Amino acid sequence: MVTLKKLTASEEAIMQIIWKLGKGFAQDIMSEIMEPKPPYNTTLSVVKALERKGYVGHETFGKANRYYPLISKEDYSRSLLGRVVSHYFNNSLSSLVSAFTADHPISDKELQELELLVQKAKQNPKS
């Protein structure tokens, strides 16, 4: 698993919008931000920081840039979850599941889905 650079809260909020849009100009991003909206320049600064971190790319159309994700939401989610398991659960997936299930009951359907995932993992171990 690749560990991606950590995002600030504002970077992650903008990234969520870019993932939702797929591609978008700064105005498109601004229109998705909830009130109170930050200044346009602040939003653009966050987008530029995301570019520097390798999360976002852009295409230029005249004087406007259209931004798009370079990192998928799924890859970011996996990296973030890996960081949580590493830092808070001593790299133990069972500790994570135990902590989670202590506060969130698992339905029979979810338990069946988890059992299927465990069976698949047993059949296809990664090196």
Side-chain angles (χ1 to χ4, degrees):
M1 172 181 16
V2 174
T3 302
L4 301 171
K5 294 178 185 171
K6 188 174 181 183
L7 298 179
T8 66
S10 57
E11 289 170 342
E12 191 168 326
I14 297 295
M15 210 52 227
Q16 292 288 347
I17 292 170
I18 294 171
W19 282 321
K20 178 182 173 187
L21 293 172
K23 289 184 176 182
F25 294 94
Q27 274 308 113
D28 300 324
I29 295 168
M30 286 296 296
S31 69
E32 293 289 323
I33 297 174
M34 302 296 286
E35 295 290 343
K37 294 182 188 286
Y40 178 85
N41 288 342
T42 301
T43 301
L44 209 50
S45 293
V46 173
V47 173
K48 295 293 181 191
L50 288 166
E51 278 193 290
R52 284 190 301 277
K53 288 184 175 184
Y55 279 82
V56 171
H58 75 268
E59 310 168 289
T60 302
F61 295 89
K63 293 183 179 182
N65 291 332
R66 183 169 63 179
Y67 300 97
Y68 56 89
L70 295 174
I71 302 294
S72 72
K73 188 174 184 177
E74 293 76 20
D75 286 344
Y76 180 73
S77 298
R78 277 190 222 104
S79 178
L80 184 61
L81 186 55
R83 194 176 298 120
V84 168
V85 172
S86 169
H87 288 103
Y88 299 101
F89 298 98
N90 295 324
N91 285 320
S92 169
L93 186 56
S94 60
S95 293
L96 169 72
V97 172
S98 176
F100 186 79
T101 58
D103 295 328
H104 302 85
I106 298 178
S107 70
D108 288 341
K109 182 181 180 202
E110 290 172 316
L111 192 54
Q112 289 174 343
E113 290 170 355
L114 287 171
E115 288 171 346
L116 285 173
L117 290 172
V118 169
Q119 290 303 317
K120 283 183 183 178
K122 284 181 179 179
Q123 293 171 358
N124 298 317
K126 293 183 179 180
S127 324

